[in-house]
Amino acid sequence: MERRRRRIAARPALLLACAVAVPAALLTGCSSGGGSDDSGSDSGSSGGGTTSAAGTPTTPALAPAKYATLPDGCATVGKATVGALVPKAKSPGGTTAPSDDARARSGCSWTGNGSDGYQYRWLSVTLQRFSSTVTASAEQQAKDRFADQVAQLGKVPGAATSAVTGVGDQASTVTERATAAKVTSQNDTLVARTGNVVVIVEYNGAGLEGKKNPSATTVRDGAARAAKDVVASVAGANG
């Protein structure tokens, strides 16, 4: 009986030793069971990380970027689309937007006053491509950028935001009217994401000298048409 009491009294001392020396317990398999070893089981961490042979946590590899490059901005919108949206464009080939890294950013714009000289139209496309980093995938960065752009555009007084289907992986359009130099224009900005690329299409129209403005539907449909061209050109440039 005395020997049994001694064994029972020794057990709390063993538990205390394991609790105080936690790192050592993890390495030696110290447990309340007095000797069971779980070294052959998976850690099953929710973060999806793994542990190297040296015991150092490793970061799981991020998915590679879907698109590795961007098309030339002025080649993203087809000639037929440019002709329909900006009749009699001053530069049918477009004006290239400056960029210090054509693989990451590109853009182009077209402007004109229509066949009668009184129907102002302006079309602009901007593309931004993201690459994966050690902390975020390229696609997640593009998703974040997309959400931020739509949110910022939606803050403009009088702006109306709506989702768009059939343009890239996700798209939203923001419609508004703006007045500058006593001229009120009907504007639409469509933001789309395709893979790790964010596309912004701006299309504005105004009737000059008292001429009628294009409708919100006309401008919104025009922006969507141009955006579809741009999304297709991104895929084509990486095919």
Side-chain angles (χ1 to χ4, degrees), residues 114-206:
S115 56
D116 64 357
Y118 295 101
Q119 283 296 323
Y120 170 78
R121 298 291 185 274
W122 182 69
L123 173 66
S124 171
V125 298
T126 303
L127 300 89
Q128 183 175 7
R129 186 186 68 84
F130 294 86
S131 299
S132 293
T133 67
V134 294
T135 58
S137 69
E139 184 165 320
Q140 185 58 55
Q141 292 178 73
K143 289 180 179 180
D144 292 344
R145 179 64 170 170
F146 169 85
D148 179 68
Q149 285 292 303
V150 174
Q152 292 300 319
L153 289 167
K155 292 179 181 179
V156 176
T161 304
S162 57
V164 177
T165 59
V167 182
D169 296 313
Q170 56 184 146
S172 288
T173 186
V174 182
T175 304
E176 58 157 332
R177 290 171 67 87
T179 301
K182 297 182 179 181
V183 175
T184 299
S185 61
Q186 184 66 51
N187 308 333
D188 192 274
T189 302
L190 189 150
V191 184
R193 180 187 65 82
T194 175
N196 58 307
V197 175
V198 173
V199 173
I200 300 177
V201 174
E202 299 171 84
Y203 184 44
N204 304 337

